[in-house]
Amino acid sequence: MLNYALRRFLISIPIILIATFIIFWMISLTGDPLQDMRQLPNITTEQIQRVRDMRGLDDPFYVQYVVWLQQIPTAGFGEYLISPRPIGPDLQRVLIHTLQLVIAAEVIAFIIAVVLGTLSATRQYSIFDYTTTTLSFIGYAMPAFWFALILQVIVIQIFELTGVRILPLANLSSANPGTGLAFVWDRILHLVLPVMSLAIFSIASYSRYMRASMLEVVGSDYVRTARAKGLREGTITRRHAMRNALIPTVTVAALSFGTLLSGSIVVETVFGLDGMGRYLFVMIQSRDPYPIMAVLVITAVVIIMFNLIADLVYGYLDPRIRHG
Amino acid sequence: MTEPLLSIEGLVTQFDTPDGTVRAVDGVSYDVYPGETVGVVGESGSGKSVTVMSVLGLIPQPPGRIAEGRVLLEGNDLLTFSNAQLRKVRGKDIAMIFQDPMTSLNPVLTVGSQIAEAIETHAPDLEDDAIRKRVVDLLALVDVPNPDDRFDQYPHEYSGGMRQRAMIAMAIANEPKILIADEPTTALDVTIQAQVLEVLKRAQDETNAGTILITHDLGVIAEMADRVVVMYGGRVVETGTVEEIFHSPRHPYTLGLLSSLPRPDTDLERLEPIPGQPPSLITLPSGCAFHPRCRLGNNRERCQFETPELIELGAGRRTACHFHDEMDEQVRLIEQATGAQIEIETEADDT
Amino acid sequence: MADTSPHDGPGASGAQGLPPGESMHDSSGQPATAYSDGTEITARSQWQMFRRKFFRHKLAMGSLIFLAVVVVAAINAETVAPHAYDDINVQMASSPPTFEDMHFFGTDQLGRDYFSRVLFGTRTSLSVASIVAVLATVIGTTVGAIAGFYRGWLDAILMRLTDLMIILPALVILLVAAALLGQGQPTRIGIILGLVLWPTLARIVRGVFLSLREKEFVQAARASGAGDLRIMFRHMIPNTIGPIVVNMTLVLASAIIIEATLAFLGLGVNPPTPALGRLIDEGRSAMRTSWWLIVMPGMALVAIALAINFIGDGLRDALDPTQRER
C-alpha cells in the first residue's frame, strides 16, 4: 500500500519536470518580463541591463530553466525579478490561506454530497430525488465566479433591506480580527461565502457519483443478504451500502481536488482573498517566471499529497485494496 | 404427517415491465413440514426463486407486487405482516442461502462480523463475547478451518466453497424453522458442490429446519430432497416424493428434465434433451405453457387452448398435465428408443 | 502503471464531464428483476431507435429547441437585438428589467441595453465554444484512436498527459496560456481552450478502441486483409460515435463556462466585443444598485450550459444500448 503510494509519488516527479519546462517555455514566449520595470521612472538602461545579466534573461530559455532547477535545492523558489525579495514567505502565506479555503470546501462538499446522494438513492424517483438531481445539474452548469457574485448580491440586498450585515463580503479577516478564538471565528465568518461558492460545483458532482454508486450497491446481492438477515433499513444503508458506495466517491473527490484548486483562483479574486490563486493571477500578469513556477510546483505537490491521502482512505474503506 | 410449518397457498407475484404486467409466480402452492427437504426444480424464469423471495417480502416493490395468495408460517399469514414484523421473521424463523457466495457477502466487512450481525439483530441483549463464541462455533460446524482466525478475515480471503459454507453458518445462526437455499451450489465448482451439500445437510440436521432447496440440478435433488416441486412458467406442474418423481414422472416436462440429465452410463451424452427454449414470461404460450416443447402433447388442441389444472393423483402427488395417464407409455417409448433406464438413483434408494 | 491506477476512474475527467451512471430522466431505470429473461425487441435500425428515444426525452428536446432559438438569435444578433450593444442612452441609465423600450435585462449606468449586450456576448461565447468543441473532438478522437489502435509511444504519452492534467488542473494551465498567448480574438481563445481540453475525449476513444480491437468483427476485417485505416474508419470510428458525441456536448458546455471565467478575469476576448463573462465583471461595479447586471448575463450563461448538458444527457440515454425503450 505505502509502496504503491511511494511509487506514484516518484512517477509524478518527471511529469512535474516536463510541465514546468513547458510553462517556462510559454512564459519565455511572451516577451519581456521586465516590461513593468521599464515603466518605472528614474530607471536607467544600465540598471535594466544589470538585472538582465544577473538573472540570465538573455540566455536561451532552456538555459534559464536549468538555472532555475539548479537553484531550487539551495535557494528554494528564488527571488522576485523586480525586487530582490525571496518568494518563499509570500508563497507560504498564500498557500495556508488557500488550503483553509479549499480543504474546508472539500470536506463540506463531501459530507453534504454523501448525505444528498445517499438520500436521493434510497428515495429514488421521489420529489427529493428529483429536486436534488435538478439542483445538481444546475450546480454543474453554474460558473463559480457567478455564484460567488450572486451570494454577494444577496448579502448586499439583505443589508439594503434590513440594515444587517449578515456576513462579510470580502477579505480573510476584519480590520481588527482580535486574537485566539475571536480571530478564528472572524476567519470562519469571512470564509463562509467563499467556501459556499467553491463547494457548490463539488457538491453537485460528488452527489451524482454518490447517488449512482449507491443505486448500484442497493441492488447488490450482499444488501439482499443483509435484508434477509432481518436488519433494519437504516442499518443496511449505513453499515452495508454506504461504505461500499463511498469507495468510488472518495476517488472522485480526491481526483477533483485540482478542480477545487483552480476554482479557488476565481473565488479568491471575487472575494479579494490573499490566497495562492490570486497570487498566481497577479504574477501571471507581471510575467515573473519564478513565482509562477513556484505556484505550479506547489499546486502539483499539494494535489499529489491529496491523492496519496485518498489512496490511504481508499485502502481503509476497501480491504481488498489493503491486502492487495 | 403433522401440520405444515410453512404453507404457500395460491401465491401470485407480478412485475410491471415496460411491456406490460408479468405474472412471474402464478398461483403457486406447496407446503413444507418440519425436518423435511422440499426440492424445487425448474429452468430459469420458472418462478422458483421469485416464490421464495415473495415469502420473505424481498421482492422489490415496485416494480414487483404480490397480488394474491397466503403464506402461512405456523398459521400466521406473512403477507399481512408489517415490515417490522417481517424483519423479525427474516433471518430468525426463515433464513436464506443465496446462489452466488462471491457477491452475497459484503466485501468490506469481515465474515465473522456479518454472521455476528445476524445473531445480534435478533438477540440485541447478547454479550459481544458470547456472540463471537457462537459465530466461531458455527464456523467450525460448517468446516471452516481455524474459525477463530477466520472470524476476522474478509470475504476475499475465503475460497468460494468456504464463503458458501459461511453463508450456511449465517443462515443457521438463529436456528431457523425454515431454511431456504436458492441454488446454493450452482456457482461452485463440481468438486466443491459435494462438500457444500454435505455441510448443508449437517446444518439442517442440527436445526431440524424444514428446508426449501431450489435448484435446476436434478442430481442435487436426488441427493438431498424428500419431496419435489417441479415448476414451469411460473406454475407448479408436478409434485411428489423424490422416488415418485424420479421413477414415474407424471408430467412430460419432468420427464424432459430427467432425460436431459448427463448419462455417463450410456453411449449417449443425454437421452433426450427438451427442445426449444424456456418461455419468456411476457409472451407465455397459451393453454399449457409447455405445449410448444412437449412431445407428449404433440400440439393437441386441448394443450394449446386449455390451461391444465393441478390435479391431485394421491396424497401429495399432483400434476398439471391433461394427458398424464399417457406418461407411463411415454417413459417406455424413450427407454426403448435409447436403451437406457429413465430413473436414476436417489438417496432414498440407498436406505 | 497508469492502466491500473485509479486515475483511470470516471473522475479523471476533472472539471468537465458529468458523472456516469443514472441520468436524471431514466423513468425506465428500474432495478433488474427476475423476469429479465429474453424479452424480444423487434429489430429496428439503431438510428430509428436512437431517434425515438431521444425525441421522447422531454428535457433534451426542450433544451434542443431552446438552444436552437438561442443560436439563431445570436447569429442574427444585429437584427434580433432591440438595441445596438454599445448604444448609450442616458435617459434610461441603470434601469431594472422592464418591457419599456424593450430593456428586458435592464440597462447599465450608461443606459446600454443589457439584453442586446447579452445577445452579442452569447454570440461570442458560442463561437468560441464551437471552435473548442470541434478542435478538441478532432484532436481527441485522432490521438485516442491512434493510441488505442497502435498502443506504443503515443499511448504512453497520452497516459502521461492524463496524469499531468490531474496534477496541473486545466484552469491553471489555461490561465497561464490565455494570459500569455491568448488574449485577443475569439478564434485565438478557442484554439487555446481546444488545445487544452482534448485529453478527456482521447482517453475515452482510446478505451473504446482498445476493447474494439479484440472484437470479432474487427478481427474478421483484419483477417480479410483490410488496411489499418479502413478498419479504423469503417469499423471502429462508427462504433465510437456515441461517446464522441456525448463528450462533445460536455466540452461545449465546459468551454462556455471556462471562456466566461477567463473573460471575467479579464483574459478573454478583447473589448469592445461583448463577452458574457466580461459583462458580469462590468456589472460588479454597480452591484449595490443594479443587481440585474450580474444576474441576467449569468442566467443566460447557466441556461445555455444547462441546455447543452441536458442534450448530452438525452444523447447518452438514447445511445445507451443497455437502456430499453420506454
Side-chain angles (χ1 to χ4, degrees):
Chain A
M1 186 65 226
L2 265 174
N3 208 339
Y4 168 70
L6 190 73
R7 221 180 38 170
R8 280 267 300 276
F9 188 76
L10 290 177
I11 282 175
S12 311
I13 290 177
I15 298 173
I16 297 180
L17 283 180
I18 294 169
T20 50
F21 184 77
I22 294 172
I23 302 281
F24 209 99
W25 171 63
M26 276 167 50
I27 297 171
S28 78
L29 280 183
T30 59
D32 186 7
L34 293 179
Q35 214 173 341
D36 289 356
M37 201 172 183
R38 288 183 207 283
Q39 311 290 321
L40 296 174
N42 312 328
I43 201 134
T44 62
T45 333
E46 288 76 43
Q47 280 172 307
I48 286 180
Q49 192 53 49
R50 215 174 46 238
V51 175
R52 291 196 77 85
D53 292 343
M54 207 166 69
R55 304 299 285 262
L57 291 182
D58 293 320
D59 296 334
F61 79 91
Y62 47 87
V63 176
Q64 292 184 43
Y65 179 74
V66 173
V67 171
W68 174 73
L69 265 189
Q70 280 171 341
Q71 55 97 47
I72 283 189
T74 51
F77 291 111
E79 296 176 341
Y80 291 101
L81 202 52
I82 300 185
S83 65
R85 278 189 306 121
I87 293 170
D90 283 351
L91 201 60
Q92 192 186 346
R93 188 188 72 242
V94 295
L95 175 64
I96 288 171
H97 292 158
T98 292
L99 285 181
Q100 287 172 358
L101 170 67
V102 171
I103 289 176
E106 174 83 328
V107 170
I108 289 169
F110 189 79
I111 293 170
I112 294 179
V114 164
V115 173
L116 288 183
T118 306
L119 292 178
S120 255
T122 48
R123 290 161 180 69
Q124 199 187 3
Y125 305 127
S126 67
I127 291 175
F128 177 84
D129 181 28
Y130 279 118
T131 314
T132 44
T133 310
T134 309
L135 288 179
S136 76
F137 263 79
I138 295 174
Y140 243 99
M142 201 160 53
F145 74 89
W146 185 67
F147 186 61
L149 291 173
I150 292 295
L151 290 178
Q152 286 187 334
V153 166
I154 292 171
V155 171
I156 288 173
Q157 292 302 319
I158 290 176
F159 174 70
E160 298 279 312
L161 287 175
T162 66
V164 185
R165 286 179 197 278
I166 51 170
L167 285 166
L169 284 177
N171 299 328
L172 280 164
S173 298
S174 313
N176 294 305
T179 49
L181 271 181
F183 179 85
V184 173
W185 179 240
D186 182 65
R187 174 60 51 88
I188 289 174
L189 285 182
H190 278 82
L191 282 178
V192 171
L193 294 183
V195 166
M196 277 171 76
S197 320
L198 193 53
I200 193 79
F201 178 85
S202 305
I203 294 175
S205 151
Y206 306 167
S207 68
R208 303 282 303 142
Y209 277 96
M210 187 66 193
R211 177 178 181 272
S213 61
M214 267 304 274
L215 282 177
E216 201 168 293
V217 169
V218 162
S220 71
D221 286 355
Y222 53 83
V223 164
R224 186 182 58 182
T225 306
R227 205 162 279 145
K229 271 193 269 192
L231 299 187
R232 290 169 181 281
E233 283 303 314
T235 315
I236 295 172
T237 304
R238 267 178 282 113
R239 214 174 119 79
H240 289 268
M242 269 180 84
R243 195 153 162 200
N244 282 282
L246 273 176
I247 294 169
T249 315
V250 164
T251 313
V252 169
L255 290 172
S256 310
F257 194 68
T259 311
L260 272 175
L261 270 180
S262 35
S264 73
I265 300 173
V266 172
V267 170
E268 285 167 11
T269 307
V270 173
F271 291 99
L273 309 182
D274 180 28
M276 196 165 68
R278 205 166 72 122
Y279 177 79
L280 172 69
F281 185 53
V282 171
M283 288 305 141
I284 284 175
Q285 283 174 329
S286 72
R287 285 152 202 236
D288 191 343
Y290 279 26
I292 298 177
M293 305 298 283
V295 171
L296 295 180
V297 172
I298 292 289
T299 304
V301 170
V302 167
I303 291 175
I304 291 167
M305 298 273 279
F306 211 83
N307 274 314
L308 290 183
I309 295 172
D311 282 344
L312 296 176
V313 175
Y314 202 71
Y316 165 76
L317 287 172
D318 192 344
R320 286 162 296 185
I321 302 279
R322 204 184 315 154
H323 297 106
Chain B
M1 276 207 203
T2 50
E3 282 295 294
L5 257 177
L6 182 78
S7 294
I8 301 169
E9 295 178 0
L11 185 73
V12 176
T13 303
Q14 302 178 331
F15 287 96
D16 294 323
T17 77
D19 304 285
T21 301
V22 154
R23 288 191 157 209
V25 174
D26 190 5
V28 166
S29 305
Y30 58 81
D31 296 337
V32 183
Y33 291 89
E36 74 162 347
T37 299
V38 177
V40 182
V41 216
E43 288 159 309
S44 61
S46 62
K48 51 197 196 311
S49 290
V50 179
T51 306
V52 291
M53 299 292 265
S54 306
V55 166
L56 273 182
L58 291 177
I59 296 290
Q61 307 186 15
R65 184 161 29 94
I66 297 173
E68 285 170 41
R70 297 199 301 171
V71 175
L72 300 176
L73 176 69
E74 297 181 311
N76 302 313
D77 187 356
L78 295 182
L79 298 185
T80 65
F81 275 28
S82 69
N83 268 328
Q85 285 173 305
L86 261 183
R87 253 197 333 261
K88 295 207 174 76
V89 174
R90 291 181 194 147
K92 173 85 178 114
D93 298 320
I94 305 180
M96 198 155 172
I97 300 160
F98 294 101
Q99 173 169 353
D100 192 348
M102 299 297 169
T103 56
S104 294
L105 286 165
N106 191 330
V108 304
L109 300 174
T110 60
V111 175
S113 74
Q114 295 188 57
I115 301 174
E117 199 177 45
I119 301 169
E120 204 187 342
T121 312
H122 298 286
D125 300 332
L126 218 54
E127 298 284 328
D128 284 357
D129 289 351
I131 293 178
R132 187 180 170 108
K133 190 177 172 304
R134 168 90 176 121
V135 173
V136 171
D137 289 347
L138 282 166
L139 286 174
L141 179 77
V142 297
D143 290 344
V144 170
N146 307 323
D148 207 41
D149 298 334
R150 289 283 184 177
F151 181 100
D152 295 311
Q153 288 188 343
Y154 290 92
H156 72 271
E157 295 167 274
Y158 276 50
S159 69
M162 218 190 288
R163 281 186 223 187
Q164 194 60 304
R165 299 205 300 273
M167 285 294 292
I168 295 173
M170 187 190 292
I172 60 168
N174 294 311
E175 307 197 319
K177 294 168 183 148
I178 299 282
L179 193 60
I180 300 173
D182 187 357
E183 305 263 8
T185 56
T186 307
L188 301 172
D189 284 351
V190 185
T191 48
I192 311 289
Q193 287 185 2
Q195 290 173 19
V196 169
L197 288 178
E198 165 73 35
V199 167
L200 184 62
K201 213 180 272 181
R202 195 187 309 153
Q204 191 190 351
D205 290 347
E206 190 82 5
T207 54
N208 199 35
T211 303
I212 301 175
L213 176 65
I214 297 171
T215 178
H216 63 270
D217 184 346
L218 282 179
V220 172
I221 294 284
E223 174 108 353
M224 303 284 291
D226 301 309
R227 291 191 304 120
V228 181
V229 173
V230 183
M231 287 186 67
Y232 189 83
R235 289 168 162 263
V236 174
V237 294
E238 184 172 5
T239 66
T241 64
V242 70
E243 300 89 59
E244 288 164 345
I245 293 288
F246 279 84
H247 293 216
S248 52
R250 278 293 166 271
H251 194 284
Y253 175 61
T254 315
L255 177 61
L257 287 177
L258 290 169
S259 327
S260 44
L261 281 174
R263 292 299 289 262
D265 56 325
T266 67
D267 297 341
L268 303 156
E269 196 179 321
R270 54 192 51 174
L271 301 183
E272 186 86 50
I274 308 176
Q277 293 295 315
S280 152
L281 289 175
I282 291 166
T283 52
L284 209 58
S286 61
C288 173
F290 187 60
H291 84 258
R293 304 169 74 188
C294 183
R295 288 170 198 273
L296 177 66
N298 205 9
N299 274 325
R300 277 183 270 198
E301 201 161 286
R302 194 168 169 209
C303 300
Q304 289 182 41
F305 295 108
E306 189 185 328
T307 309
E309 293 295 316
L310 192 60
I311 49 171
E312 192 101 17
L313 300 175
R317 186 85 180 105
R318 294 182 294 170
T319 177
C321 178
H322 295 307
F323 302 104
H324 61 86
D325 44 1
E326 297 174 21
M327 280 301 296
D328 281 332
E329 177 72 12
Q330 188 72 11
V331 171
R332 231 192 42 213
L333 279 174
I334 290 185
E335 285 181 347
Q336 266 174 5
T338 59
Q341 295 278 303
I342 282 292
E343 60 192 72
I344 61 170
E345 258 183 35
T346 64
E347 197 74 341
D349 295 331
D350 301 339
T351 50
Chain C
M1 166 266 162
D3 290 37
T4 52
S5 87
H7 284 356
D8 281 3
S13 49
Q16 62 234 341
L18 290 164
E22 294 286 310
S23 75
M24 70 183 294
H25 323 287
D26 45 354
S27 55
S28 71
Q30 307 282 16
T33 34
Y35 56 77
S36 57
D37 50 315
T39 316
E40 301 276 323
I41 301 174
T42 33
R44 227 182 270 133
S45 86
Q46 275 193 326
W47 171 240
Q48 277 174 317
M49 287 263 290
F50 164 76
R51 246 180 8 204
R52 271 179 74 120
K53 283 207 242 170
F54 186 79
F55 285 150
R56 288 198 195 169
H57 202 299
K58 291 194 192 71
L59 259 169
M61 272 313 284
S63 301
L64 191 65
I65 294 167
F66 169 77
L67 197 68
V69 171
V70 169
V71 168
V72 170
I75 291 174
N76 302 302
E78 279 86 357
T79 44
V80 174
H83 302 268
Y85 66 83
D86 48 1
D87 236 8
I88 294 174
N89 178 1
V90 193
Q91 265 93 35
M92 282 302 283
S94 300
S95 159
T98 168
F99 285 105
E100 189 191 330
D101 213 10
M102 297 206 279
H103 293 305
F104 307 123
F105 287 4
T107 62
D108 64 9
Q109 303 92 306
L110 298 174
R112 290 181 295 190
D113 177 47
Y114 247 56
F115 181 75
S116 307
R117 288 178 76 70
V118 165
L119 198 56
F120 280 95
T122 304
R123 177 158 77 182
T124 315
S125 291
L126 285 176
S127 55
V128 171
S130 327
I131 295 172
V132 178
V134 170
L135 195 63
T137 303
V138 170
I139 302 179
T141 306
T142 314
V143 175
I146 296 174
F149 194 81
Y150 294 109
R151 316 272 344 233
W153 59 270
L154 194 65
D155 191 35
I157 290 184
L158 179 64
M159 294 324 289
R160 290 294 84 74
L161 239 155
T162 309
D163 288 350
L164 174 70
M165 295 305 247
I166 287 161
I167 61 171
L168 278 184
L171 189 62
V172 173
I173 299 174
L174 277 172
L175 201 62
V176 177
L180 302 179
L181 313 169
Q183 260 164 307
Q185 317 93 309
T187 333
R188 205 156 171 191
I189 306 270
I191 290 174
I192 299 225
L193 286 180
L195 287 177
V196 177
L197 292 180
W198 59 266
T200 311
L201 177 63
R203 227 192 39 248
I204 294 171
V205 173
R206 168 187 178 269
V208 178
F209 263 54
L210 280 180
S211 70
L212 282 179
R213 238 161 54 122
E214 312 304 326
K215 288 273 157 62
E216 288 83 357
F217 65 91
V218 171
Q219 305 281 7
R222 197 188 300 274
S224 64
D228 287 355
L229 274 179
R230 191 181 158 77
I231 293 175
M232 270 197 254
F233 279 97
R234 272 200 64 83
H235 298 281
M236 293 169 85
I237 296 268
N239 280 290
T240 323
I241 220 81
I244 291 175
V245 170
V246 170
N247 188 271
M248 200 162 163
T249 63
L250 297 177
V251 171
L252 204 58
S254 49
I256 285 179
I257 292 177
I258 293 173
E259 188 271 333
T261 304
L262 290 177
F264 172 76
L265 292 172
L267 298 175
V269 179
N270 278 344
T273 321
L276 289 178
R278 219 186 38 254
L279 288 178
I280 296 173
D281 184 38
E282 284 168 15
R284 287 178 76 188
S285 53
M287 186 186 266
R288 201 167 289 273
T289 52
S290 311
W291 51 265
W292 52 90
L293 300 185
I294 287 174
V295 173
M296 291 308 181
M299 298 257 272
L301 193 61
V302 173
I304 293 169
L306 198 58
I308 296 173
N309 277 336
F310 281 147
I311 293 171
D313 197 45
L315 286 173
R316 192 207 323 259
D317 285 357
L319 290 165
D320 184 356
T322 61
Q323 202 170 16
R324 295 209 296 141
E325 248 183 287
R326 324 163 201 168

